[in-house]
Amino acid sequence: MTDDTDERETICDSAASLVEGCRLPVRMAGGNDWPLAEIVSIKEIRESRFFYVHYIDFNKRLDEWVTEERLDTRKVQFPRRDGPAQGTGVSTPKKLGLGAGMGGGSVPSRPSSPVAAELVNGSAVLAAALHKKMSRKRKGVSLESEAGEARGGAEAAGAEARPESQEALPRSTGSMVAHHDDVVTRMKNVEMIMLGRHRIRPWYFSPYPQMVHLPCIYICEFCLKYRKSLKCLEMHLAKCNLRHPPGNEIYRKGSISFFEIDGRKNKVYAQNLCLLAKLFLDHKTLYYDTDPFLFYVMTDFDARGFHIVGYFSKEKESTEDYNVACILTMPPYQRKGYGKLLIEFSYELSKFEGKTGSPEKPLSDLGLLSYRSYWAHTILDFLICAKPTGDFESPQITINEICEQTSIKKEDVISTLQNLNLINYYKGQYIITLNHELITSHSRAMEKRATRIDPKCLHWTPKDWSKRAKW
Ligand code: ACO
Ligand code: ZN
């Protein structure tokens, strides 16, 4: 803690004087840890006050509403008059959300990109949409300002648009852009979703139109349309014929399939997928212009149909060599290896394209962990399998060869080798040294990866989108 914050610490007898922006120790759910938290919002229900808190050193998915008993009002830092209390917590290093009180490894977090631009509504929507159509290559139509308010059509028809000031925005990314942390979008707005057999608690804000203050949003697991009640969903299911995502099934092995969905041809599905994904993706703002993207949805098949496990989006054309824009494993399927399977598939597509690729930045904490793990596995596998050539005792491999074989971009190969501490300088040149311990732990990790992508099962030809008049 800095001197600066000490000055502002005050003993405060009751929670009555607490305001938004105050920082104080708060007991985390399910444990007896009291990390420092910031009050994001306060509400009063039947004379009781509830506080929405963000734990400073933790990921936002742990943010929650708490009652007074969970606040330690003996050490309060009041917000400064000249601005909010030291940032919003988004730029501090976060611990992983491993569940209350369990902490976890600290990973570097990114500042959220500044997003300027006021949002307009009403007839301006049409004007902006027209403008977008005319001047589009890389602009989005955003629903961010809806902030969970009841506006727009039930099937995401009521998109709001950013006006000309959009020009100043960072470009859209996988139908989402890095976003500005305003107070509404900082708070979770959906309590629960029902998706197929799963009930899932969302992690972050998502601007589902007309779905405010509901205990649960009911989502059709096949077409991703959403309803306010179970009854409405049942009515939908009686009519909905889909038992798999729209688009082409381009991969199938065992029960795992991948469907390729064009964001222009299947706009409503793509928009609904983005709305669903936003519930678990913090660092992106939802964009409704899905045209420039392809969506690769991974499913698990059983007698009832092809159930969505996760997806990634990919720009049809990426000037920065991104091969993934956004990636998500649905929470019930997480930590079972599906994330790495999605990543493996994205690199398989890059191999078919004859390119190297990299995920779009910034990565989330869990995204970084998964990519680091995938890169390490893939590069180590390649190095361990490499054979010596010619008169040399050990294999002679260049970084470029690793890139060509794995489709992993050069900077990611280098950062992985550095992270694994494999690069040494020896007799005037850089060499990679692998020790037995590493090789053993690598083979153990690979044994755990039971399901792998089989390139023989991929039926796909890359399209050259630059040669097309229109996406
Ligand atoms: N805590 C600690 N480690 C974790 C956690 C967690 N909560 N979740 C995953 N990991 C680790 C796993 O242990 C594994 O590492 P290992 O191979 O060394 O054991 C690695 O991350 C990958 O695990 P998988 O089971 O293959 O991945 P998963 O199916 O859980 O999916 C993903 C990973 C996609 C990042 C998932 O956590 C997710 O959807 N998160 C929410 C959305 C998100 O953050 N997406 C990435 C954004 S960045 C971008 O879009 C480009
Ligand atoms: Zn449906």
Side-chain angles (χ1 to χ4, degrees):
M1 202 174 290
T2 62
D3 291 339
D4 179 39
T5 53
D6 281 341
E7 270 170 33
R8 293 182 295 124
E9 265 176 22
T10 320
I11 304 271
C12 143
D13 295 333
S14 79
S17 53
L18 293 175
V19 291
E20 284 159 14
C22 281
R23 287 181 171 204
L24 72 171
V26 177
R27 186 165 58 78
M28 265 186 153
N32 202 23
D33 286 344
W34 292 79
L36 187 67
E38 182 178 320
I39 297 176
V40 178
S41 182
I42 303 175
K43 68 179 177 188
E44 212 168 304
I45 302 173
R46 277 179 248 107
E47 285 169 32
S48 296
R49 287 179 100 202
F50 294 85
F51 303 83
Y52 192 86
V53 295
H54 165 68
Y55 299 99
I56 302 302
D57 283 333
F58 292 80
N59 189 283
K60 246 164 61 180
R61 61 183 163 267
L62 298 187
D63 292 4
E64 55 180 337
W65 285 103
V66 299
T67 48
E68 260 181 61
E69 308 87 75
R70 293 194 27 206
L71 307 177
D72 181 353
T73 51
R74 289 168 304 175
K75 266 200 165 186
V76 180
Q77 299 166 25
F78 280 90
R80 293 173 186 219
R81 289 229 181 94
D82 55 353
Q86 300 177 324
T88 57
V90 284
S91 55
T92 44
K94 303 293 177 199
K95 291 176 187 159
L96 295 177
L98 297 174
M102 286 168 69
S106 197
V107 290
S109 72
R110 320 84 25 204
S112 57
S113 311
V115 175
E118 268 176 45
L119 296 148
V120 289
N121 55 26
S123 59
V125 174
L126 198 60
L130 280 172
H131 167 76
K132 182 201 78 182
K133 258 208 145 119
M134 282 152 66
S135 64
R136 175 173 64 218
K137 255 240 153 163
R138 315 259 352 204
K139 273 177 243 161
V141 180
S142 164
L143 267 190
E144 179 73 358
S145 72
E146 293 223 8
E149 279 173 3
R151 276 205 304 267
E155 302 305 350
E160 280 199 298
R162 292 179 193 267
E164 308 306 314
S165 52
Q166 167 101 23
E167 309 285 350
L169 296 176
R171 56 181 203 71
S172 65
T173 63
S175 310
M176 304 192 190
V177 294
H179 72 80
H180 172 70
D181 233 11
D182 77 58
V183 80
V184 179
T185 58
R186 272 183 83 186
M187 290 165 57
K188 296 169 202 185
N189 61 331
V190 179
E191 253 177 70
M192 187 77 84
I193 59 164
M194 202 182 93
L195 181 72
R197 282 188 297 187
H198 307 288
R199 278 181 183 260
I200 310 169
R201 248 178 220 292
W203 297 356
Y204 310 112
F205 173 89
S206 179
Y208 271 96
Q210 296 187 328
M211 295 283 138
V212 227
H213 306 310
L214 295 172
C216 186
I217 296 181
Y218 298 83
I219 302 171
C220 171
E221 61 170 324
F222 301 116
C223 72
L224 304 185
K225 286 181 180 164
Y226 47 91
R227 295 291 182 263
K228 287 177 181 178
S229 67
L230 189 55
K231 205 162 175 216
C232 292
L233 181 71
E234 280 165 358
M235 277 159 63
H236 166 80
L237 293 178
K239 288 182 296 180
C240 182
N241 297 322
L242 229 53
R243 289 294 171 268
H244 54 77
N248 297 327
E249 189 184 3
I250 57 169
Y251 179 93
R252 184 187 293 194
K253 184 164 190 190
S255 64
I256 297 293
S257 293
F258 276 85
F259 291 80
E260 183 186 56
I261 293 127
D262 185 325
R264 188 178 66 82
K265 291 187 190 153
N266 285 292
K267 212 178 283 259
V268 173
Y269 180 88
Q271 287 171 347
N272 286 337
L273 179 58
C274 290
L275 278 171
L276 175 61
K278 179 63 195 71
L279 293 170
F280 308 100
L281 277 158
D282 172 35
H283 55 299
K284 309 274 172 139
T285 292
L286 188 60
Y287 263 62
Y288 260 41
D289 187 6
T290 56
D291 290 18
F293 296 93
L294 294 165
F295 296 80
Y296 294 92
V297 176
M298 179 166 76
T299 60
D300 189 23
F301 176 76
D302 68 14
R304 291 176 303 116
F306 294 76
H307 309 282
I308 179 167
V309 170
Y311 88 104
F312 64 90
S313 54
K314 174 173 177 162
E315 290 173 285
K316 291 172 181 171
E317 286 180 85
S318 169
T319 45
E320 285 105 323
D321 293 337
Y322 291 136
N323 63 356
V324 163
C326 292
I327 185 164
L328 168 79
T329 303
M330 298 307 298
Y333 295 94
Q334 282 177 10
R335 304 206 70 177
K336 296 182 164 107
Y338 289 115
K340 280 205 289 289
L341 206 58
L342 285 163
I343 296 173
E344 191 178 1
F345 191 81
S346 71
Y347 281 105
E348 211 51 58
L349 296 186
S350 296
K351 285 183 198 167
F352 270 56
E353 291 170 332
K355 288 182 189 166
T356 61
S358 184
E360 192 177 286
K361 314 300 174 301
L363 295 175
S364 66
D365 54 353
L366 298 176
L368 184 66
L369 266 180
S370 307
Y371 268 98
R372 280 206 176 145
S373 169
Y374 174 82
W375 291 330
H377 283 187
T378 310
I379 294 168
L380 281 174
D381 229 29
F382 176 68
L383 294 176
I384 291 167
C385 295
K387 301 267 179 304
T389 45
D391 300 335
F392 296 103
E393 253 176 57
S394 47
Q396 306 290 301
I397 298 162
T398 64
I399 302 268
N400 281 342
E401 275 163 2
I402 303 179
C403 300
E404 275 162 31
Q405 291 296 317
T406 61
S407 273
I408 301 173
K409 211 177 171 186
K410 198 169 187 170
E411 64 218 42
D412 299 329
V413 170
I414 293 170
S415 76
T416 305
L417 293 173
Q418 281 169 342
N419 278 329
L420 291 170
N421 228 346
L422 295 184
I423 303 184
N424 293 299
Y425 196 62
Y426 181 73
K427 289 189 181 167
Q429 61 173 347
Y430 289 100
I431 58 158
I432 294 171
T433 22
L434 302 174
N435 59 47
H436 280 291
E437 212 178 304
L438 189 70
I439 295 173
T440 318
S441 71
H442 169 71
S443 25
R444 257 190 249 121
M446 292 311 274
E447 275 164 27
K448 276 203 253 162
R449 274 175 71 182
T451 315
R452 299 289 301 272
I453 296 297
D454 182 350
K456 292 194 290 298
C457 300
L458 174 60
H459 303 285
W460 183 73
T461 331
K463 291 190 182 83
D464 186 353
W465 295 93
S466 67
K467 292 207 176 111
R468 296 175 172 233
K470 191 176 158 195
W471 293 315

